[in-house]
Amino acid sequence: MHKLIIFLFILTLLFSCTKEVDLDIPELPQKVVVNSLFCPDSAIKVHVSLSTQIKNPNINYVENASCFLYENDLLIKTFGTQINGYYNSFYNPKAGKKYKIEVVVPGFEKVWAETSIPFLPDSLSGIYYKDGVQTDAETLNTSLEISFIDDQNVPNYYEPMLNPFRFQDSKQTDQSILSDSELEFEPLTFYFSDLLFNGLKKKLVINGAGKLVYSFNGTIFFDEFYFHEFKIVSQEYYNFRKSWTKHLYNQNSDAHYDDPLTLLFLGDPIEMYSNVTNGYGIFAGYNRQAVTITYVE
């Protein structure tokens, strides 16, 4: 309540001394925007639109684009048109292949982008166990450990799970998470490269990921069907996720509503990563697996 009063007071001051100023904002030339994140368990779909202007922020869907899909430099599919700028290849991609998309929109330069889908790491498994922190009389926090062997022959990028403490002080101690997941920007997920463990077996420890429940007689109940979605991602996906995390924190994060004062001072705009030549957007592959997490004493 105290914060709300301060917030309303500052708003009153701001609006009592405002002055309208006409700004001549130059409009940048429109470009084609192509967005697609894809993996082997579904067909590749892309969304095609035109970049928006400050004075006209409405999304401009493109319904007359020609979209072509290449696999290892061979043309394999022409996308079919769907509603609101979506195009479907009706083709499931494969790990280890390079994919390229070309998009032609009348009146604009041809745009294109490339990416690939990495293979899942070997020996992927997970366990969880008591971490000794008693939450209350009935529950006990746990830590989760996901193990896998990193391929030393290629640089790898991982997105192992959601961030369970996005709006709280970090409870993480794993060096890969601390060094690469940019926790100060409240990421939706953890993500990191294999820089600290290239070619080695990685035991990723995530603190506080889940709880155990005690019965009235002290018996521990645990979930026999507990799992997490584990992703290994392309470099393009990784770079996009990092820029999106900063953008979300600076401009759109609902964490700001915990402190109304911060709504007045949102951060600077972030230049989003794009791998689309002659346009904007992201075309990136990833691979995923639901990892069963086993409870151990």
Side-chain angles (χ1 to χ4, degrees):
M1 186 64 183
H2 179 65
K3 288 183 178 179
L4 181 59
I5 293 173
I6 296 175
F7 175 61
L8 294 174
F9 175 71
I10 293 176
L11 280 182
T12 301
L13 292 178
L14 289 175
F15 284 111
S16 64
C17 58
T18 58
K19 179 180 180 180
E20 290 189 9
V21 177
D22 292 328
L23 294 178
D24 184 16
I25 302 175
E27 292 191 359
L28 297 175
Q30 281 192 311
K31 290 190 175 183
V32 176
V33 181
V34 176
N35 287 306
S36 178
L37 300 176
F38 57 89
C39 64
D41 60 15
S42 58
I44 298 179
K45 296 180 181 180
V46 300
H47 185 262
V48 183
S49 62
L50 299 179
S51 57
T52 59
Q53 305 288 346
I54 292 178
K55 297 178 181 178
N56 182 21
N58 296 323
I59 298 177
N60 301 299
Y61 304 121
V62 175
E63 305 287 357
N64 62 340
S66 298
C67 305
F68 307 97
L69 180 66
Y70 295 80
E71 183 180 83
N72 289 345
D73 297 323
L74 296 176
L75 177 63
I76 58 171
K77 283 288 180 179
T78 299
F79 287 72
T81 310
Q82 293 184 298
I83 194 170
N84 293 334
Y86 285 98
Y87 295 77
N88 195 339
S89 68
F90 301 101
Y91 182 78
N92 286 41
K94 304 175 182 65
K97 304 287 188 178
K98 181 181 73 173
Y99 290 95
K100 175 182 176 180
I101 188 173
E102 289 184 350
V103 178
V104 178
V105 176
F108 293 86
E109 287 185 282
K110 178 177 70 176
V111 303
W112 60 272
E114 290 183 342
T115 189
S116 60
I117 298 178
F119 289 103
L120 286 164
D122 292 332
S123 304
L124 182 57
S125 63
I127 61 172
Y128 72 111
Y129 47 84
K130 293 179 287 187
D131 67 8
V133 179
Q134 188 82 30
T135 304
D136 52 43
E138 297 180 351
T139 58
L140 191 73
N141 283 342
T142 67
S143 289
L144 182 151
E145 182 182 294
I146 298 178
S147 299
F148 56 92
I149 298 176
D150 180 70
D151 184 354
Q152 66 177 348
N153 297 312
V154 292
N156 290 301
Y157 305 89
Y158 298 95
E159 188 180 39
M161 63 173 286
L162 296 173
N163 178 4
F165 302 106
R166 184 183 171 202
F167 302 138
Q168 303 175 31
D169 291 337
S170 175
K171 297 177 173 60
Q172 305 312 314
T173 58
D174 188 278
Q175 289 303 308
S176 294
I177 291 177
L178 294 177
S179 66
D180 214 6
S181 285
E182 299 173 311
L183 299 179
E184 68 272 24
F185 294 107
E186 300 170 356
L188 291 169
T189 61
F190 296 131
Y191 45 79
F192 48 81
S193 71
D194 63 357
L195 183 63
L196 299 181
F197 55 90
N198 182 36
L200 303 176
K201 182 174 182 178
K202 171 65 175 177
K203 289 187 177 181
L204 173 69
V205 177
I206 300 173
N207 297 317
K211 290 182 172 61
L212 296 171
V213 180
Y214 286 109
S215 70
F216 66 93
N217 62 0
T219 303
I220 295 177
F221 289 98
F222 57 90
D223 189 351
E224 295 181 356
F225 304 100
Y226 181 33
F227 67 91
H228 275 289
E229 183 179 86
F230 179 94
K231 291 180 182 178
I232 181 170
V233 305
S234 63
Q235 185 176 13
E236 294 80 17
Y237 183 109
Y238 169 80
N239 289 336
F240 171 75
R241 175 61 75 186
K242 290 173 79 72
S243 66
W244 172 250
T245 294
K246 295 177 182 178
H247 168 77
L248 186 64
Y249 179 84
N250 275 3
Q251 302 299 319
N252 299 317
S253 175
D254 52 6
H256 292 295
Y257 293 100
D258 293 338
D259 184 359
L261 292 179
T262 64
L263 290 171
L264 301 176
F265 311 106
L266 294 181
D268 294 332
I270 297 296
E271 182 177 353
M272 293 295 295
Y273 170 82
S274 174
N275 66 328
V276 177
T277 300
N278 297 330
Y280 301 122
I282 181 67
F283 180 70
Y286 65 93
N287 212 338
R288 64 184 176 186
Q289 179 176 319
V291 180
T292 300
I293 310 298
T294 304
Y295 175 68
V296 297
E297 284 286 349

